[in-house]
């Protein structure tokens, strides 16, 4: 009989969001009259920007002509999109990133997992706790961890606890680690990192020869002009970091699918024989073999994000969700709950009321207010006692959810 990948058997329960979906489905079946409001998974709700839709429509028309038809595209993405990204997202902020260092893909979730393909098995890996579960689960699946202990923490991973006491900013580890996952603005806590904090990580990584995997999927939600949007705003980061970005949350592409990964040329790792090897070449090789690129139509839609009209529409979307976050912050604070995040990120991180754990609060809100959120413990042991609400929803649903919670 065929053998399975035993590493999958080490995974704790289901992936967080399908597990929430399962519970919500059960609730919905038992309570068909309940009007559920979903502030759980960070999935956008507002329509795609007109600029993107128009670009995709005309790309479809082009595809209907012999001259404008596109078959397989470059696995790394079309040059015009890579140029637009390099210019607008990086060079305009003073980051020395060129178009050929941008790899267009169909998602940061996929890229942040797939990157393990080019990294060795012996790396010591650091993740924050709580953390976006994909970083942990993908390492488990790839056999880079041992088994999970009682608290759900995997042997072999180095957990950096983030909580209210350290401002949800992980402290630099005292021992050397090789691979460090950082996510700012942070999912799930909504925390942000200053330039000084990122510089401390870059300095650490350079002095230890470590690699930072920097997830900047939520950078568009940063309001404070002093805060860095990219790890490459920090001097020296080209030598020690890979960055993941997405069109999902800023431009509403969660269902359309387009993202990017930045692998600087000259960024190196070590082979088993001690030779230094460029990661760019390995990632390029990996993508060319295992990925056929994002569709021409979607890449044209993503390119329109950088048009004048597209930029305005994306800013309007971001402002809209951040106003939702402000409403959630204001109304939950008024109920006496202690809240964090939601100022530079579309997530509000809530301390659960005394005597209620994360899943207890999940059940309470689901059963009593018909509001779905995400239990903090689903993001890691140190997330216990916290709860996440997403600001991605219509204004009327956010207001209604807040009214229902206030009435509890
Ligand atoms: C979340 O809710 O944490 C996000 O939607 C997950 C994701 O973007 O994959």
């Amino acid at each position: 009989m065929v053998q399975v990948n035993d590493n999958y058997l080490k995974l704790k329960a289901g992936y967080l969001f399908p597990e929430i979906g399962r519970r919500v489905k059960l609730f919905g079946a038992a309570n068909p009259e309940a009007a559920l409001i979903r502030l759980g998974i960070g999935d956008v709700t507002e329509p795609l920007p007109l600029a993107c839709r128009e670009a995709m429509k005309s790309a479809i028309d082009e595809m209907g002509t012999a001259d404008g038809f596109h078959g397989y595209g470059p696995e790394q993405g079309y040059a015009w999109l890579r140029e637009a990204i390099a210019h607008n997202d990086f060079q305009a902020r003073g980051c020395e990133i060129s178009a050929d260092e941008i790899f267009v893909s169909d998602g940061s979730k996929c890229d942040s997992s797939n990157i393990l393909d080019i990294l060795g098995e012996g790396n010591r890996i650091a993740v924050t706790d709580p953390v976006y579960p994909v970083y942990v689960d993908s390492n488990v699946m790839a056999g880079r961890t041992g088994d999970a202990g009682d608290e759900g923490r995997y042997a072999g991973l180095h957990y950096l606890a983030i909580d209210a006491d350290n401002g949800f900013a992980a402290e630099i580890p005292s021992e050397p680690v090789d691979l460090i996952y950082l996510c700012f603005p942070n999912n799930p806590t909504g925390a942000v990192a200053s330039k000084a904090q990122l510089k401390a990580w870059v300095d650490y990584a350079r002095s230890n020869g470590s690699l930072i995997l920097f997830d900047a999927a939520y950078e568009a939600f940063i309001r404070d002009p002093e805060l860095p949007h990219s790890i490459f705003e920090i001097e020296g980061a080209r030598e020690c970091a890979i960055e993941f970005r997405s069109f999902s949350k800023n431009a509403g592409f969660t269902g359309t699918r387009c993202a990017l990964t930045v692998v600087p040329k000259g960024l190196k790792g070590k082979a088993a024989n001690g030779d230094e090897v460029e990661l760019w070449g390995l990632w390029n090789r990996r993508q060319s073999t295992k990925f056929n690129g994002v569709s021409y139509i979607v890449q044209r839609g993503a390119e329109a994000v950088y048009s004048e009209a597209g930029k305005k529409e994306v800013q309007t979307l971001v402002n809209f969700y951040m106003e939702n976050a402000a409403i959630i912050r204001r109304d939950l604070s008024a109920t006496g709950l202690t809240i964090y995040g939601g100022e530079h990120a579309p997530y509000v991180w809530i301390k659960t009321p005394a005597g209620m754990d994360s899943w207890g609060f999940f059940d309470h809100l689901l059963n009593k207010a018909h509001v779905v959120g995400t239990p903090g413990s689903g993001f890691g042991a140190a997330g216990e006692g916290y709860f996440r609400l997403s600001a991605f929803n219509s204004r009327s649903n956010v207001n209604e959810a807040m009214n229902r919670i206030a009435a509890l």
Side-chain angles (χ1 to χ4, degrees):
M1 191 180 276
V2 70
Q3 291 193 345
V4 300
N5 178 349
D6 274 82
N7 296 312
Y8 277 63
L9 309 181
K10 293 182 203 161
L11 291 164
K12 298 294 280 183
Y15 179 56
L16 177 60
F17 295 107
E19 174 60 18
I20 290 173
R22 195 186 63 79
R23 290 182 186 223
V24 169
K25 202 166 162 203
L26 282 179
F27 176 84
N31 303 275
E33 75 298 340
L36 284 173
I37 299 179
R38 294 165 198 273
L39 303 177
I41 190 164
D43 192 6
V44 292
T45 54
E46 298 308 296
L48 277 176
L50 180 63
C52 301
R53 283 181 278 141
E54 280 178 342
M56 288 193 275
K57 280 185 198 161
S58 76
I60 290 172
D61 288 341
E62 261 186 85
M63 292 285 278
T65 67
D67 285 348
F69 176 77
H70 287 75
Y72 290 125
E75 294 89 353
Q76 304 79 1
Y78 284 100
W80 34 264
L81 178 56
R82 299 169 86 196
E83 291 285 354
I85 293 167
H87 174 69
N88 289 280
D89 286 342
F90 296 98
Q91 292 157 9
R93 294 194 64 85
C95 309
E96 261 182 71
I97 295 295
S98 62
D100 60 357
E101 296 174 320
I102 311 276
F103 290 83
V104 176
S105 78
D106 59 351
S108 315
K109 173 158 116 175
C110 330
D111 284 359
S112 66
S113 311
N114 292 337
I115 199 76
L116 291 175
D117 274 9
I118 66 163
L119 300 171
E121 295 196 348
N123 288 316
R124 292 159 293 186
I125 300 155
V127 291
T128 62
D129 180 6
V131 69
Y132 179 42
V134 171
Y135 313 149
V136 171
D137 287 2
S138 57
N139 273 288
V140 177
M141 291 169 173
R144 311 286 165 92
T145 72
D147 289 326
D150 291 344
E151 277 194 309
R153 287 181 157 187
Y154 291 91
L157 289 186
H158 189 97
Y159 289 92
L160 309 168
I162 53 173
D163 54 30
D165 293 339
N166 58 23
F168 301 101
E171 275 153 37
I172 308 280
S174 43
E175 62 259 53
V177 292
D178 305 303
L179 193 57
I180 304 151
Y181 289 83
L182 293 180
C183 173
F184 289 112
N186 186 251
N187 180 10
T189 67
V192 277
S194 66
K195 276 196 176 145
Q197 283 169 317
L198 289 191
K199 181 174 181 317
W201 280 108
V202 167
D203 290 349
Y204 171 85
R206 286 170 80 193
S207 58
N208 286 286
S210 335
L211 175 67
I212 296 172
L213 296 177
F214 191 78
D215 185 346
Y218 299 94
E219 57 76 34
F221 297 88
I222 293 175
R223 321 256 85 191
D224 180 347
E226 294 301 312
L227 291 170
H229 288 233
S230 166
I231 189 89
F232 299 115
E233 288 177 49
I234 311 301
E235 205 190 323
R238 288 183 56 88
E239 291 164 32
C240 63
I242 286 175
E243 181 164 308
F244 305 104
R245 290 238 183 158
S246 173
F247 293 94
S248 283
K249 314 290 162 118
N250 58 346
F253 273 47
T254 52
T256 306
R257 309 307 309 153
C258 198
L260 60 118
T261 288
V262 185
V263 186
K265 293 220 168 137
L267 173 66
K268 290 185 179 135
K270 207 186 268 175
N273 66 3
D275 287 353
E276 290 193 351
V277 181
E278 280 215 39
L279 298 184
W280 188 95
L282 298 187
W283 185 244
N284 191 45
R285 186 71 174 79
R286 190 261 172 219
Q287 292 298 81
S288 306
T289 302
K290 294 195 179 185
F291 184 58
N292 262 335
V294 176
S295 82
Y296 173 72
I297 297 159
V298 168
Q299 290 193 61
R300 281 293 184 202
E303 184 193 27
V305 164
Y306 302 104
S307 65
E308 210 174 305
K311 280 181 185 169
K312 276 197 199 131
E313 286 183 89
V314 165
Q315 195 54 55
T316 304
L317 282 175
V318 166
N319 292 346
F320 174 81
Y321 291 125
M322 289 312 290
E323 282 158 26
N324 281 350
I327 291 168
I328 297 173
R329 282 179 55 86
R330 182 196 67 202
D331 290 2
L332 292 187
S333 300
T335 68
L337 286 166
T338 304
I339 52 162
Y340 306 92
E343 287 175 305
H344 306 285
Y347 295 124
V348 178
W349 189 240
I350 303 154
K351 186 94 198 82
T352 56
M356 247 187 241
D357 65 10
S358 297
W359 278 108
F361 194 54
F362 173 90
D363 288 334
H364 179 65
L365 291 192
L366 179 61
N367 290 306
K368 299 286 184 339
H370 304 165
V371 170
V372 182
T374 309
S377 55
F379 297 101
E384 181 55 270
Y386 290 95
F387 193 77
R388 193 192 78 175
L389 285 184
S390 147
F392 293 115
N393 215 310
S394 65
R395 184 60 42 81
S396 55
N397 273 350
V398 167
N399 281 326
E400 172 65 15
M402 292 305 107
N403 290 341
R404 290 187 199 168
I405 294 174
L408 288 180

